[in-house]
Amino acid sequence: MLEAQLMSSPSVVTRIAPSPTGYMHIGTARTALFNYLFAKRLGGKFLIRIEDTDRERSTEGAVAAIFEGMAWLGLEADEEPIFQNTRADRHREVVEDMLARGGAYRCYMTTEELDVERTLARAEGRSVRSPWRDHTGILPDKPFVVRLKAPREGQTVLRDLVKGDIVFENNQLDDLILLRSDGAPTYNLAVVADDHDMHVTHVIRGDDHVSNGARQSLIYQALGWDLPVFAHIPLIHGPDGAKLSKRHGAQAVGEFAEMGYLPEAMRNYLARLGWGHGDDELFTDQQAADWFDIKDVVSSPARLDWDKLNFINRHYIREAGDLRLAGLIAPVLQARGIQSDGALLNRLISVIPLIKEGASTLIELANLVGFALTADDAPLDPKTAGLLTAEVSERLARLRDTLRDVEDWTVPTLEQLIRDFAAAEQVGIGKFGPALRGVLGKGSPAPDLASTLVAFGREGSLARLSFALD
Ligand code: GLU
C-alpha cells in the first residue's frame, strides 16, 4: 500500500488509440489492457481515442465494435472518448504553428516532380528532398502540401521502455507530409497533436509503430513540445510464430467471446501474453494492476497458446457463479433451438455445479448440460437400447428399488449407494453404469452417475428409469 502511494503519480496518462477497422483485434485488446494496467498501477488515467480520420473505413459499426470489445473486456476509460476526426481544425492550427516557427514548409512539387525525385533518392540511398524546403520569397498560387522540416543530419534516438534506444539516421527520414493538399491532416501529425492535447505521458502501442515513433518525435521537437515516453510492444503471433491471422482460429475480440471465453480469463491471459510476474499463470485483476510494469514486457513476439488460454478459462469458469454461467449459456442453447425460460434457467443452475469442472469454454459448458435438457419421455437412443439386455434391465430395476428409499439425494450418498449396490450384485459398476447413464441422459454425454442422478432429482431419475424399463 505504501509502495502504491509512493508510486502514485496522478500525472500519468495512457491511452488506446484504435483505428476502427471493422472489428477489434486481440492485439488492440492487449495494448489497451497494458495501457490500462500501467495507468492503474501508477494511479494515473487511461483514455481512449478513436482514430477515425480514414472516413471510408471508419463506419459506425466499426467504431461500435471497439466500444463493445472494450466494454466486454471491462476496460473502462477514465474520460469520454475522443474522436480524432472531430479535431481536424485543431490539427490545422498546429500545422500553422509549425509553419510560423519555421519547423514546416509549404511544398508545391507536382506528382510528376515527386516521382522523379523519388527515383533519384532511391538511387542515391537518401530520403526524398523538396526544393521548396529552403525557398524564400513569393509563394505560388498553386495547391501545396505542408511538410515537416526534418533534420538532415545526425540521428534521432527513440527511447523505448521495451526495446531500449532505437537509432534512426536522419538522412533516411523524409520531410513527412503534415497536411495534404486538400487540407486534411496526416496520421502522424494528428497522433502527436492529440496525444499532446490529451496530456498523454506514456505511449504504449504495437511495435508496428516504431518508425512512426521516430517521425512523431521529430514533430514534437519541431513544436517545442515535451515527448511522451514510448513503449512499443511486440505483436501477438500465432502458435506457429507467424503473424496472427484467420487460419490461427481467431483474431477478433468478438470471436473469443463467441468461442466461450470469459472476459476475466481473457484479461488474465492477455496480461500474461508478453508480460509476466514470475511463473504466476493465474492472477486477479487487482494483482495484475499491482504487479504490472511495462519494463517487464518481453521484447520478442508473444505466441497465442490455446492450451494456456483454455487452462485459464477453465479456472475462471470454475470460479464463476452458477447463476452467471446459466445466463451466459442460455443464449447459446437458445441458438440451438432450446427455449430460454425460467424452467431452463432453474435446471441449468442446478446442473452447472455438477459439470462445470469439465468445461474449458462456455460452449463446452453448453454441451455438457445437454444431457439435462432432454425430456423424461424422450425415446432412448439406439446405443442405450442395445445395452438394455434382460439381465441389465433386471439389475436396473433392482437399483431403482434401492433408489426409492434414498433420503439424502446428494452426490456422496449416491456414490456410496452405487458402490454398495455393485458389491451386492457382485459385479463391477461397468456392468450397469453405461446403461444407467444412457437411460438418464438419453444417450447425451452425461457426467458421473451420482452427479447425473442429482441433476435429475429423485423423481426425474425414477421417471426416466421407469420410462426405459416398464
Ligand atoms: N491507430 C493506431 C492503430 O490502430 C494506433 C496509433 C497509436 O497508438 O499511436 O494501430
Side-chain angles (χ1 to χ4, degrees), residues 15-21 28 31 35 49-52 66 84 187-188 191-192 195 203-206 208-209 212 216 230 232:
R15 70 359 176 228
I16 180 75
S19 310
T21 54
T28 307
T31 303
N35 276 284
R49 176 174 76 237
I50 304 289
E51 304 216 307
D52 55 352
I66 292 169
Q84 191 161 64
Y187 169 73
N188 279 304
V191 169
V192 170
D195 281 340
V203 169
I204 303 169
R205 63 186 171 195
D208 48 338
H209 287 285
N212 283 331
Q216 290 165 14
F230 289 104
H232 287 96

Side-chain angles (χ1 to χ4, degrees), residues 27 42 53 94 96 104 112 155 172 178 197 232 235 244 269 276-277 284 286 297 315 363 376 399-400 404 453:
L42 297 176
T53 39
V94 168
E96 283 303 322
E112 294 77 19
Q155 297 175 325
Q172 299 298 316
L178 304 170
D197 290 357
H232 287 96
L235 301 183
L244 190 64
Y269 178 69
H277 181 263
T284 63
Q286 188 57 49
V297 171
H315 165 79
I363 303 301
D376 286 349
L399 178 64
R400 175 176 54 180
R404 276 205 182 101
L453 287 164

